[in-house]
Amino acid sequence: MADNQQLNQQEEKKLYQREVHELLKRRREELEALKKSGVNPFGYEYEVTGYSASIKKEFADDAPPKRYRVAGRVMSMRKMGKASFMHIQDQEGRIQLYLRKDALNELYGHIKLLDIGDIIGVEGEVFRTKMGEISIKAESFELLAKSLRPLPVVKERTAEDGTVVRYDPFSDKELRYRQRYVDLIVNPDVRDVFVKRAQMIKFIRDYLDEQGYLEVETPALQPVYGGAAARPFVTHHNALDIQLYLRIADELYLKRLIVGGFDGVYEIAKDFRNEGMDRNHNPEFTMLELYVAYKDYKWMMDFVEHMTADLVHHIHETYEIQIGKHTVNFKPPWKRLTMFDAIQEYTGIDISEMDEGALRKAAEKLGLELEPAAGAGKIIDEIFSELVEPKLVQPTIIMDYPVSMSPLAKPHRSKPGLVERFEIIVNGQELCNAFSELNDPIDQRARFEEQMQLRERGDDEAHVLDEDYLRALEYGMPPAAGLGIGIDRLAMLITNQESIRDVILFPQMRPEGK
């Protein structure tokens, strides 16, 4: 039975490949026919004066007709003898074209050589058809790009309530990520995700600029990587004959700028971590990092809480948005818990006084598997990440972490053994990480040395010791608050996407055929 099913699938695949081959062959024949008739199948330019949604919005039945030059990709066609209808898709949506033989003369003969996917430009007046659809009555058209590959066929129907129902969608996730260009063409909702992502980044940049903070750029290639617990990508610089690393964070360079006298700096940049891939992780990702002199983590809590709430309201015009099956309310104030209190609330175990041995036993009792090299900080992180974080749906600030988990954060001013650090968790995901920044170079060196001991035990994500950064601290860094926000994860929340790959235009993929 299974063998027969496999044979049937193979036959279907061969039939599909033959059909595609025939379509590719036919389109190239059309290409040659267009060339022979004197048509350039790949135009040089076309002046566009109107876009689909704006044209429809501005149209009025009782107003004099307006003329537009529109351009876009042909998404549907009804070819007839003396008149044809098409829908083209531009950056705003779709609009119908009405093409008549008596208006286009010899140009009308070229329509038979057009296909879905071709890009054309059309000039004409806008009007409403007898069926009530706002359309462009073509007086001229130009072929701007001949499509040599057929698009996946996605059928659409507009329901009585005006909603668009799609059939046979281009829904294979892996194929969509590999061929994002096709995904954007046939799945208009995908384009909206990336429009919202761009709006989100612009809002954040404007928000920080209005506070007087300076946007800067720091090295992506670094001789010593640091600022996070992660494995780096390694490369070689031929001219200098040295090993370099793609940055895993911007932190240590941005804090060098605080040492240099800037009171507030930020960077929205690509970081790279040579780690596993899942719905929340891509090896290449975008981070916002912000450092403000003379502030602490309490100030930063309020700042990021209000910035994020304002961002959500800016994009959605409400503080409440749907994320998966949950309605999440971003309106301040948000719930605040210490890390130890959160673990006790969701596991029933108080770990606040436990040493590494007791922590390991508690974690094993809770059913967690630990790496032999895991120190106290990593064990606590595992307990929190596996048993607490997934249960935090509404925006929650988790604060006051153990010093062993935070080698770059300032010691807590009233709780020995802890640091002034917080994370924001939304819908079971870490959204940001922030500290009162450690500015004591002696303490920082001791923390780095502890991290190097963990590396010797086999923890290859432990921090490395950065002598130049320590030298910068020895010149004196003012008290400062630091913040890192994962832009991709924020975009997942803002656009209600399940995977980080859905908010990255070209996510990392295994090479085809591997």
Side-chain angles (χ1 to χ4, degrees):
M1 182 73 174
D3 290 342
N4 289 338
Q5 186 176 8
Q6 190 173 5
L7 285 171
N8 289 337
Q9 289 174 343
Q10 290 174 350
E11 287 299 319
E12 287 178 7
K13 186 176 181 180
K14 288 179 181 178
L15 178 62
Y16 172 74
Q17 288 173 339
R18 283 198 297 270
E19 289 175 350
V20 170
H21 177 75
E22 287 301 317
L23 287 171
L24 294 174
K25 181 182 176 184
R26 179 177 63 77
R27 290 194 177 212
R28 277 168 171 74
E29 290 170 351
E30 291 171 345
L31 178 71
E32 292 307 314
L34 285 163
K35 289 179 179 178
K36 286 178 182 178
S37 66
V39 175
N40 180 359
F42 303 102
Y44 284 91
E45 55 84 31
Y46 193 83
E47 182 184 2
V48 176
T49 62
Y51 294 92
S52 54
S54 301
I55 291 170
K56 293 176 183 178
K57 185 178 180 180
E58 294 169 6
F59 178 80
D61 291 293
D62 56 355
K66 290 185 178 180
R67 179 184 300 276
Y68 294 96
R69 289 169 62 88
V70 297
R73 191 180 297 274
V74 177
M75 300 303 291
S76 69
M77 302 178 67
R78 282 183 290 149
K79 299 177 184 178
M80 293 176 281
K82 295 184 178 180
S84 297
F85 289 91
M86 298 181 190
H87 281 92
I88 62 167
Q89 180 170 282
D90 61 20
Q91 67 178 9
E92 291 187 355
R94 296 186 183 186
I95 192 165
Q96 181 171 263
L97 307 179
Y98 176 53
L99 305 101
R100 287 183 57 86
K101 185 176 182 180
D102 60 3
L104 297 172
N105 299 317
E106 70 275 5
L107 285 176
Y108 192 79
H110 298 152
I111 290 175
K112 65 183 179 183
L113 299 175
L114 296 184
D115 282 293
I116 290 176
D118 291 350
I119 298 173
I120 65 172
V122 168
E123 182 175 1
E125 291 184 349
V126 62
F127 76 110
R128 190 187 297 275
T129 66
K130 292 179 181 178
M131 300 299 292
E133 186 168 355
I134 297 170
S135 307
I136 301 289
K137 187 184 297 182
E139 296 174 13
S140 68
F141 87 87
E142 294 180 32
L143 178 60
L144 303 174
K146 180 66 180 169
S147 174
L148 300 182
R149 282 186 176 271
L151 291 171
V153 178
V154 181
K155 302 180 181 70
E156 286 190 357
R157 178 178 65 83
T158 303
E160 291 182 1
D161 63 358
T163 57
V164 176
V165 181
R166 294 187 178 91
Y167 304 92
D168 302 324
F170 180 55
S171 56
D172 183 303
K173 283 279 189 179
E174 183 167 330
L175 193 56
R176 286 176 55 204
Y177 298 147
R178 289 189 187 281
Q179 300 181 23
R180 182 68 84 187
Y181 38 90
V182 178
D183 190 26
L184 290 166
I185 293 168
V186 301
N187 291 320
D189 294 345
V190 173
R191 189 180 311 177
D192 185 57
V193 168
F194 292 100
V195 169
K196 282 189 169 64
R197 179 189 169 110
Q199 292 171 343
M200 181 188 85
I201 293 172
K202 183 179 185 303
F203 176 89
I204 292 171
R205 180 173 276 114
D206 291 344
Y207 195 97
L208 297 178
D209 288 346
E210 287 171 7
Q211 302 298 318
Y213 306 139
L214 181 68
E215 183 174 12
V216 298
E217 295 175 290
T218 61
L221 286 173
Q222 302 178 349
V224 179
Y225 65 92
R231 290 187 294 270
F233 287 94
V234 185
T235 188
H236 184 79
H237 192 292
N238 291 332
L240 295 177
D241 192 25
I242 59 171
Q243 183 168 280
L244 292 174
Y245 306 91
L246 286 176
R247 66 181 167 208
I248 60 174
D250 310 347
E251 178 170 347
L252 301 188
Y253 280 92
L254 291 172
K255 288 196 286 191
R256 285 171 168 93
L257 298 179
I258 298 296
V259 171
F262 291 107
D263 280 358
V265 292
Y266 75 93
E267 186 170 16
I268 299 173
K270 290 286 188 183
D271 290 339
F272 309 86
R273 296 182 185 176
N274 198 353
E275 55 190 17
M277 296 190 296
D278 57 33
R279 62 181 291 269
N280 291 324
H281 296 88
N282 191 68
E284 176 183 354
F285 59 98
T286 305
M287 283 282 290
L288 160 71
E289 293 202 36
L290 166 70
Y291 295 85
V292 184
Y294 310 111
K295 303 295 184 182
D296 66 1
Y297 83 139
K298 293 179 182 178
W299 175 88
M300 188 63 84
M301 282 184 208
D302 294 335
F303 181 86
V304 70
E305 180 181 53
H306 284 91
M307 181 178 74
T308 307
D310 290 349
L311 168 63
V312 170
H313 196 276
H314 173 75
I315 300 293
H316 293 284
E317 298 183 345
T318 177
Y319 291 109
E320 284 192 349
I321 61 174
Q322 194 69 26
I323 303 176
K325 61 183 179 181
H326 302 292
T327 299
V328 178
N329 189 345
F330 284 86
K331 187 173 183 179
W334 299 346
K335 184 177 180 179
R336 300 186 182 191
L337 284 171
T338 68
M339 169 162 271
F340 288 156
D341 287 346
I343 290 174
Q344 185 167 5
E345 180 176 327
Y346 288 96
T347 69
I349 297 177
D350 181 3
I351 67 167
S352 60
E353 301 297 328
M354 291 184 180
D355 60 16
E356 185 178 318
L359 283 168
R360 186 171 290 276
K361 288 179 182 178
E364 290 171 352
K365 184 178 178 181
L366 290 167
L368 299 178
E369 294 183 8
L370 302 172
E371 296 177 1
K378 204 144 197 177
I379 296 171
I380 295 170
D381 187 40
E382 192 74 13
I383 294 171
F384 180 79
S385 298
E386 293 296 322
L387 303 176
V388 180
E389 193 171 277
K391 299 173 184 176
L392 302 176
V393 175
Q394 300 300 323
T396 305
I397 295 175
I398 301 296
M399 55 191 178
D400 300 347
Y401 285 54
V403 66
S404 56
M405 292 180 66
S406 312
L408 295 165
K410 201 172 184 69
H412 200 286
R413 66 196 76 183
S414 61
K415 299 177 182 178
L418 302 183
V419 294
E420 296 192 348
R421 172 187 174 187
F422 72 89
E423 293 181 316
I424 294 174
I425 314 297
V426 184
N427 197 41
Q429 293 185 67
E430 174 198 334
L431 179 60
C432 86
N433 190 20
F435 311 148
S436 292
E437 297 296 335
L438 179 59
N439 61 343
D440 178 346
I442 298 171
D443 189 359
Q444 183 65 82
R445 180 177 291 277
R447 304 249 202 118
F448 276 155
E449 289 172 349
E450 288 174 6
Q451 290 289 304
M452 294 301 286
Q453 290 174 9
L454 290 174
R455 292 183 71 84
E456 291 172 4
R457 287 172 51 179
D459 185 354
D460 57 2
E461 291 188 350
H463 282 70
V464 294
L465 193 149
D466 188 334
E467 284 288 356
D468 181 69
Y469 176 66
L470 291 171
R471 178 169 57 193
L473 288 187
E474 288 171 356
Y475 280 101
M477 184 177 84
L483 167 72
I485 295 180
I487 292 294
D488 308 299
R489 291 191 185 178
L490 181 58
M492 287 171 63
L493 297 172
I494 293 288
T495 61
N496 190 20
Q497 300 300 310
E498 294 182 358
S499 170
I500 194 171
R501 295 200 217 180
D502 293 320
V503 297
I504 296 175
L505 279 167
F506 300 102
Q508 191 66 45
M509 304 286 292
R510 191 184 301 277
E512 290 183 81
K514 292 287 185 180

